[in-house]
Amino acid sequence: MPTITEKLLLERGRPKSTQLEKIKSLNLSDLSLVNADLDSTLLRRLTSLEELDVSGNLLTELPASLPLPALRRLNCANNQLEEVTSLKQFRMLEELSLEDNLYMTISDSYKLMFLLPKLRRLSGKEITSTANHVRFVASEELSRRVSSLWERSFQERLPSSPSAAQARVLGKEFVKAAETQVKYGASSLSDYTKWRVKMIARELLSSRLGVQCEASSEEEDLSKCESGSDVREEAGSEQNRVPAAKRKEISSESSPRKKTCLSAADDITQSAERSPRRCVRFENVSTATDKAGLSPGVKLQESPRKSVQSLRSPRKIDQSQQSPMKAAQSQQNSRKTVQQQQSPNKSITSLRSPKKAEHSEQSLRKPVAIKESPRKADRPKAAVSQPDSSLDTLRKSPRKRQEKEPAKKGQGEEGEEEQGSRTPRRTSKDPITMKPLHFLQCHSKQNSPDDFSTQLWACAFEPRIDSSGGSRGHSSRTVATCGGESVCIIDCETGSVLNKYKVSGEEFFCLAWSMMTLLTGDGRGHRVSVLAAAGRRGVVKLIHPKASLAYGEFRASRRAVSTLCFSPAQESFLFTGTYDKKIILWDIGGLDCEYKFKVSQLLILEAASIPLHLRLVPSAPEHHLLAGCEDGLLLFDIQLSKNQLKRSSELEFQFPVYKKEEEENEFRLIDSLSFLSNDIVVSKSAMQGSIYLWSWSKTLASRRKSREVEVEILAELQWSSTELPYISLSTCPGEDYVVCGDEKGDLWTYEVSQCLRAGAKTDKMIPPTQILEWPVPNRKGHGPIAGTSVNSVAMDPELQYLVALTDKNIAAVWRRA
C-alpha cells in the first residue's frame, strides 16, 4: 500500500501540474487505502479539486475535516463505508457513487439527499425529484408531526418560568418520545426517519425554549447518524443496516465452504490479490425493484455462501463438479435497490402477487419438457400432472431389496389428495415410498427461465392450525423456500407459487415459522402463521403469508444471519445465529390489526464460531439450546430467570469422528442437526461420511465436571462420502424417518423404527433404506438437468410431502405414494 504523499497526488492528478492547488481531478482508486492513510493536511491543499475517485479501497469513512470547496463528483464505490454524514462537508457535491459499500442502506441514501443540497445523481441514478421531496415535502410533514406531538403532550407540562434544568429534562423526554412516536414513510426508511425527527425535535426545543439537548459526540452537528446497535425498537422503526455474507464472517477468516472452479465470468477483482485479508469481490451491476422504498442502483455481488476453501479447509474437491456460482468468499453488498418511488405513507410491504409472477415461476415438473407453472387458480384439478415412471427411479440398498418387494407401479398416482388429508400411521410392514411430483424453478434472477445457478438454502413447512388454534399433530402442504433474492410460498400438491417476496440485492439463507395471535379491532384473537426470513444483510423480515404482507423487519446484526429458530414454548421468541459468532434471543412481540410490533433483545450467547443450526431441546425448550457451529456442537442455558444477559456455552459435545482427525480436517464443522424424538438427536459433521443418532438423556447423564462430554451413540447411518460440507438433513419424528441429500441430487432415506426399538447401541454401520435417485428432468431448450448438490430438505409432520432444494435453482417436491 503506497503512502499518500505530495508526489503521489501530483502523479495521479489531472491536469499535470507541480502544484496541488491546480489539480482538478484525482484518482486514488484501488490502493487498499484505510482511514489513516488520508492525510487531511495534505488533501486540504486541493482547493481546485472538482473530481475525486477513492473507489476500491478499505475506507470506513472520510476525514471529517476535509474541506474541498470545489468538489463536484466523488466516487467512493467498493469501500467499507459505515456512515455518510461526514460527506455533508462537500456542500457543492453533485454526483456521488457509493456502490458496493457493505453497510450502506436506503436510509443512508435519504440522509445524503437531505445533507447535500446540490446532489442530483447518486450511484448512477438521477435523484433530483426524490431529493426535493425529501428536503422539502417530507421535512415539512415531519416538522408538522413533531410540532403536533409537542403541543399535544408536552407544552402543558412546561412550567410558566422553567429553569434550565427543567427545560433540559423535558427536552430529553420530548426528543425520545418524538423518535419512537413520530412515524412517516416506509419501514425501510425508519433509520432515516428517526435521525431526521431527532434533528427536528432539537431544533424545535432550541427555537421555543432556547434549550440545547445533550448529544453524544457522534450526534453533534449532524456528524453521525444513529448506529442502532441496540436493536430494541417499535413497529415501523425496523432497522435496515446491512451485514456481510452468509457462511462467512467477512474478515480474514475463512470457513470450509463448497469450493468452486471460478470461471472468467466471475470477474474476481484484483483487490483480493493486493491484500490477503481483504475479501474477494465480484462485479455484477444490477438494479431491481425492492418494494421497501427508493434507492439508487448498486452493484450486486455473487453468493458467498459456498466459498473458497480456507487454510483449515477439510476438503480436496474436484472443481469440475462445482457450479460457478459457488463463489469465493466475498465482502457483501448489502444495499437494497429500487426502480420506482414508493408512497411515503406505505409502511407495509406487500408480497409479490402470484398473478404477477405467472410467467416468471418456472416449473420443472414433466420429464419430457419443463414448462412454466400455471397459477393455482387457473389450473384445473385434472391438469395436475403426475410424473411418469421415467422420473421415479428409486435405488434401494441391497438390504432393502432383499427384505421388501418393490412398490407397485402407479401406487398413489391417481387422483389429487385433499389439502390437509392425513395418512394413518403405517405398520412396521408398510414401506415408505416417495414419488417425484414437481420440479420448480421459482427463485430465478430477473425471473429468467435460464437461471440454473441461483442457490437455494432453506425450506420449512408451514404449521397447520387446528380448530383449537394449535398446530401440533396436523400436517400442511404449504412450504416456504428461500434462496437468492426471494422467499417463495409453495403449494406442494399443485406446484403453485402462492406468494413470492423479493428484496433486490439480498440473498436469503434461512427461514423459520411460528404461530402467533393476531388481535383484531374488536379485541378478538386469531391464530396466524408468521414467517421469518433473513440472509446476508443481517435484516430479519417478518411475513404474514395469508395476508400477503411483509409487515416488518429488524436488524439482527451487522453481519449475515446464518440460521433462525422460533421457540415452541414462547411463540414470539426468535433465536438468530449470525456471522459475528453470536446467537441472540429476540422477542418480536404480538400482532394487532395494524401489524404493530415491538422487538426487544433478551439474551446474547457467545458461540466462538459461526452458528449453522439451532435446535431447542424438546424436553426442555425454555432451558436448553443446541447450536451446531463451524467448530463444534455447543449447549447453552437460555433460562431468562438468570440475570446474566451475555453467556458462553455450558457444554461442548465430543463425537467419535473427532478422534480420526486428519491433517486437513478436524471434523468439527456440524452441518446437520435435528431431533427425531424428545431424546434422540440426529447430527453429522462435514465429510464424516455417516450420520449419528445419539441419546440426549444418556449423554447428559454421563456428564462429569469437564466442560466437554462424549455423546452416547445409538447408531451410525451410512451416508455419502462427499467432501462437500453444508448439506443439511431433516427428520420426521412421527414416522421415525431421516432424509439427507447428497452432492448428486440423490436423497438418502432411513427408516429407523427397528433400530430405535432395539434400544441397544450397535457398532454396525446402518445402510440407507432407500436412495431416491435424482430423476433427471428435462427443460425445453436445455435438455436433461443433471443432479446437483441438495442443500436442504424438509418433510411435513405426516410425511405426505418431501421437498429438496438444490444448487441449480430447482426445488424438487416428492409425494408419498
Side-chain angles (χ1 to χ4, degrees):
M1 179 178 63
T3 302
I4 300 298
T5 62
E6 181 175 352
K7 179 181 179 182
L8 178 67
L9 297 181
L10 292 174
E11 288 176 352
R12 287 181 164 252
R14 297 291 183 275
K16 287 295 183 180
S17 174
T18 57
Q19 300 179 33
L20 292 179
E21 290 76 9
K22 294 184 178 181
I23 291 179
K24 293 187 176 182
S25 176
L26 179 62
N27 184 353
L28 297 178
S29 63
D30 299 322
L31 295 177
S32 296
L33 299 176
V34 297
N35 297 359
D37 295 325
L38 298 182
D39 185 350
S40 299
T41 304
L42 188 61
L43 296 175
R44 210 178 282 134
R45 294 169 54 189
L46 298 166
T47 53
S48 299
L49 189 67
E50 297 181 0
E51 182 174 356
L52 174 62
D53 186 351
V54 290
S55 61
N57 289 297
L58 303 172
L59 302 174
T60 60
E61 62 180 354
L62 293 183
S65 55
L66 188 62
L68 299 175
L71 191 64
R72 300 291 192 277
R73 291 178 294 279
L74 175 61
N75 186 353
C76 296
N78 199 16
N79 275 278
Q80 299 176 12
L81 296 183
E82 297 181 359
E83 66 88 28
V84 297
T85 52
S86 63
L87 300 179
K88 67 180 176 59
Q89 60 189 310
F90 307 128
R91 304 288 291 178
M92 304 302 292
L93 202 62
E94 298 176 359
E95 298 182 17
L96 175 62
S97 296
L98 290 174
E99 299 98 324
D100 290 340
N101 277 279
L102 183 62
Y103 301 123
M104 291 295 98
T105 70
I106 186 173
S107 288
D108 292 318
S109 298
Y110 275 64
K111 290 176 184 179
L112 288 168
M113 293 178 200
F114 175 77
L115 293 174
L116 301 174
K118 294 193 176 183
L119 190 66
R120 56 182 180 81
R121 292 188 68 83
L122 183 58
S123 297
K125 288 290 182 178
E126 176 62 47
I127 61 163
T128 302
S129 176
T130 306
N132 287 335
H133 179 88
V134 170
R135 295 163 188 157
F136 305 110
V137 179
S139 290
E140 182 178 349
E141 177 62 21
L142 287 174
S143 298
R144 185 189 66 78
R145 297 187 184 193
V146 171
S147 297
S148 176
L149 176 64
W150 169 262
E151 295 167 358
R152 183 176 66 251
S153 305
F154 289 88
Q155 187 168 318
E156 293 182 355
R157 295 171 51 187
L158 188 68
S160 57
S161 300
S163 65
Q166 290 176 321
R168 279 195 298 270
V169 170
L170 187 64
K172 288 182 181 179
E173 186 178 345
F174 169 62
V175 171
K176 185 176 180 180
E179 284 185 89
T180 57
Q181 296 181 30
V182 175
K183 309 295 179 186
Y184 181 74
S187 61
S188 58
L189 297 175
S190 60
D191 186 43
Y192 166 77
T193 302
K194 290 175 65 177
W195 175 82
R196 188 71 181 97
V197 163
K198 178 180 283 190
M199 186 189 309
I200 293 172
R202 287 176 176 161
E203 291 172 353
L204 183 147
L205 291 172
S206 178
S207 62
R208 297 195 180 186
L209 304 179
V211 173
Q212 296 293 337
C213 291
E214 294 180 5
S216 67
S217 58
E218 290 185 349
E219 296 171 339
E220 291 179 355
D221 195 26
L222 307 181
S223 61
K224 297 276 185 181
C225 63
E226 293 180 13
S227 65
S229 59
D230 181 15
V231 189
R232 298 172 183 258
E233 50 194 347
E234 297 189 3
S237 64
E238 304 82 0
Q239 303 188 20
N240 193 23
R241 284 286 177 184
V242 200
K246 174 75 172 173
R247 296 297 186 203
K248 193 65 236 146
E249 184 178 8
I250 311 291
S251 65
S252 61
E253 300 177 9
S254 182
S255 67
R257 291 290 149 184
K258 297 184 180 179
K259 189 177 180 181
T260 179
C261 178
L262 299 172
S263 65
D266 289 329
D267 293 332
I268 301 180
T269 61
Q270 296 178 354
S271 60
E273 300 176 1
R274 291 193 302 270
S275 173
R277 295 188 61 83
R278 184 164 186 203
C279 301
V280 178
R281 297 176 182 262
F282 291 81
E283 297 181 351
N284 178 22
V285 180
S286 175
T287 303
T289 299
D290 180 348
K291 299 170 184 168
L294 185 65
S295 171
V298 298
K299 292 182 181 178
L300 304 181
Q301 299 166 343
E302 300 295 348
S303 165
R305 176 130 180 170
K306 296 180 180 177
S307 56
V308 165
Q309 185 177 6
S310 68
L311 295 178
R312 77 175 193 91
S313 171
R315 309 184 45 252
K316 295 179 180 178
I317 198 157
D318 181 3
Q319 295 180 345
S320 64
Q321 298 178 358
Q322 302 306 308
S323 164
M325 285 299 293
K326 295 182 181 178
Q329 180 58 43
S330 64
Q331 187 118 7
Q332 297 306 307
N333 166 33
S334 51
R335 289 286 309 279
K336 289 186 180 179
T337 57
V338 245
Q339 290 177 331
Q340 57 187 14
Q341 185 173 3
Q342 185 175 0
S343 169
N345 293 321
K346 187 173 181 181
S347 60
I348 297 177
T349 307
S350 297
L351 288 170
R352 181 180 176 191
S353 169
K355 293 183 179 181
K356 295 180 181 179
E358 174 181 355
H359 299 292
S360 63
E361 323 305 348
Q362 303 299 324
S363 171
L364 292 82
R365 302 157 20 124
K366 278 281 194 178
V368 178
I370 302 171
K371 56 186 179 181
E372 293 184 356
S373 174
R375 291 176 301 179
K376 181 179 179 182
D378 296 339
R379 184 191 295 123
K381 290 186 177 181
V384 178
S385 60
Q386 306 293 335
D388 60 24
S389 58
S390 65
L391 272 175
D392 301 334
T393 307
L394 304 181
R395 183 173 73 229
K396 296 189 177 184
S397 68
R399 179 176 71 92
K400 194 67 182 178
R401 285 196 294 267
Q402 292 171 7
E403 292 178 357
K404 300 181 180 180
E405 295 293 330
K408 294 180 181 180
K409 183 177 181 179
Q411 179 183 357
E413 293 187 354
E414 297 298 328
E416 181 180 358
E417 299 179 12
E418 295 184 12
Q419 183 172 357
S421 61
R422 302 189 63 182
T423 301
R425 188 176 178 89
R426 63 189 174 87
T427 66
S428 59
K429 296 182 180 180
D430 297 331
I432 294 177
T433 304
M434 305 299 294
K435 300 283 186 180
L437 183 62
H438 304 292
F439 292 83
L440 305 175
Q441 186 187 4
C442 52
H443 291 265
S444 302
K445 295 177 182 177
Q446 307 295 326
N447 296 322
S448 169
D450 299 322
D451 179 6
F452 290 97
S453 59
T454 294
Q455 298 164 332
L456 309 185
W457 291 118
C459 54
F461 276 86
E462 178 182 12
R464 188 162 178 241
I465 307 171
D466 59 25
S467 57
S468 62
S471 60
R472 185 179 297 276
H474 283 253
S475 190
S476 169
R477 72 183 203 184
T478 304
V479 69
T481 62
C482 71
E485 298 177 333
S486 58
V487 175
C488 293
I489 313 295
I490 300 171
D491 184 324
C492 289
E493 181 61 33
T494 65
S496 301
V497 178
L498 304 177
N499 279 309
K500 184 173 182 178
Y501 176 69
K502 181 177 179 181
V503 178
S504 297
E506 175 66 280
E507 184 171 11
F508 287 103
F509 298 132
C510 52
L511 47 75
W513 289 96
S514 182
M515 303 300 303
M516 301 187 70
T517 300
L518 176 65
L519 296 177
T520 58
D522 56 7
R524 291 182 298 175
H526 296 278
R527 298 291 286 169
V528 298
S529 56
V530 170
L531 179 68
R536 71 178 182 180
R537 289 182 169 180
V539 177
V540 178
K541 304 288 184 179
L542 300 175
I543 303 170
H544 182 194
K546 287 293 188 288
S548 296
L549 294 175
Y551 66 86
E553 64 183 39
F554 67 94
R555 180 167 62 85
S557 173
R558 297 179 71 88
R559 304 291 183 185
V561 177
S562 55
T563 181
L564 295 171
C565 178
F566 273 105
S567 169
Q570 182 62 267
E571 60 191 18
S572 63
F573 282 12
L574 175 64
F575 290 88
T576 60
T578 58
Y579 262 69
D580 53 9
K581 304 177 183 179
K582 289 182 176 63
I583 301 167
I584 301 179
L585 172 58
W586 309 87
D587 185 352
I588 63 173
L591 287 176
D592 60 18
C593 57
E594 295 181 357
Y595 289 94
K596 293 180 180 178
F597 71 103
K598 182 178 181 179
V599 178
S600 58
Q601 187 183 98
L602 303 180
L603 199 61
I604 301 175
L605 308 175
E606 300 289 347
S609 63
I610 298 174
L612 305 178
H613 296 278
L614 302 177
R615 296 292 183 269
L616 289 155
V617 177
S619 58
E622 295 179 317
H623 293 171
H624 298 300
L625 175 73
L626 280 178
C629 305
E630 288 196 337
D631 195 29
L633 180 63
L634 306 176
L635 176 67
F636 290 93
D637 183 348
I638 58 171
Q639 297 180 73
L640 296 179
S641 57
K642 299 182 178 180
N643 295 327
Q644 189 177 5
L645 176 63
K646 292 186 178 182
R647 304 175 190 174
S648 299
S649 60
E650 284 197 334
L651 289 178
E652 181 176 356
F653 297 93
Q654 303 295 308
F655 293 93
V657 71
Y658 290 0
K659 297 178 181 179
K660 65 173 186 178
E661 180 177 328
E662 300 173 354
E663 182 178 352
E664 294 184 349
N665 189 3
E666 298 176 356
F667 297 102
R668 301 185 66 88
L669 192 153
I670 308 298
D671 61 1
S672 286
L673 178 65
S674 186
F675 275 86
L676 191 59
S677 69
N678 283 359
D679 184 59
I680 298 175
V681 188
V682 186
S683 66
K684 74 176 179 72
S685 299
M687 289 170 293
Q688 177 180 329
S690 63
I691 299 169
Y692 285 136
L693 271 64
W694 52 282
S695 170
W696 163 256
S697 60
K698 292 180 179 179
T699 299
L700 220 57
S702 67
R703 177 184 181 183
R704 299 294 181 264
K705 293 183 179 180
S706 173
R707 184 177 172 274
E708 297 181 351
V709 58
E710 297 282 343
V711 298
E712 292 291 327
I713 302 294
L714 299 177
E716 188 172 3
L717 310 180
Q718 180 185 355
W719 185 65
S720 170
S721 59
T722 178
E723 293 185 336
L724 284 179
Y726 307 103
I727 297 179
S728 300
L729 60 78
S730 181
T731 59
C732 182
E735 297 288 348
D736 297 330
Y737 203 65
V738 179
V739 177
C740 189
D742 66 11
E743 77 284 3
K744 299 178 182 178
D746 299 342
L747 301 177
W748 298 55
T749 68
Y750 309 85
E751 299 179 45
V752 295
S753 305
Q754 293 181 353
C755 168
L756 299 180
R757 281 196 295 269
K761 176 181 177 181
T762 175
D763 294 328
K764 295 183 179 180
M765 188 87 72
I766 299 176
T769 305
Q770 285 185 331
I771 297 180
L772 307 180
E773 290 186 340
W774 176 252
V776 193
N778 289 300
R779 172 129 183 107
K780 187 176 181 180
H782 290 271
I785 299 176
T788 183
S789 172
V790 175
N791 295 328
S792 180
V793 292
M795 296 171 280
D796 69 279
E798 294 179 354
L799 197 49
Q800 291 291 314
Y801 303 98
L802 168 63
V803 177
L805 304 185
T806 73
D807 258 1
K808 288 188 176 179
N809 190 27
I810 297 174
V813 180
W814 299 67
R815 186 174 66 178
R816 189 167 177 174

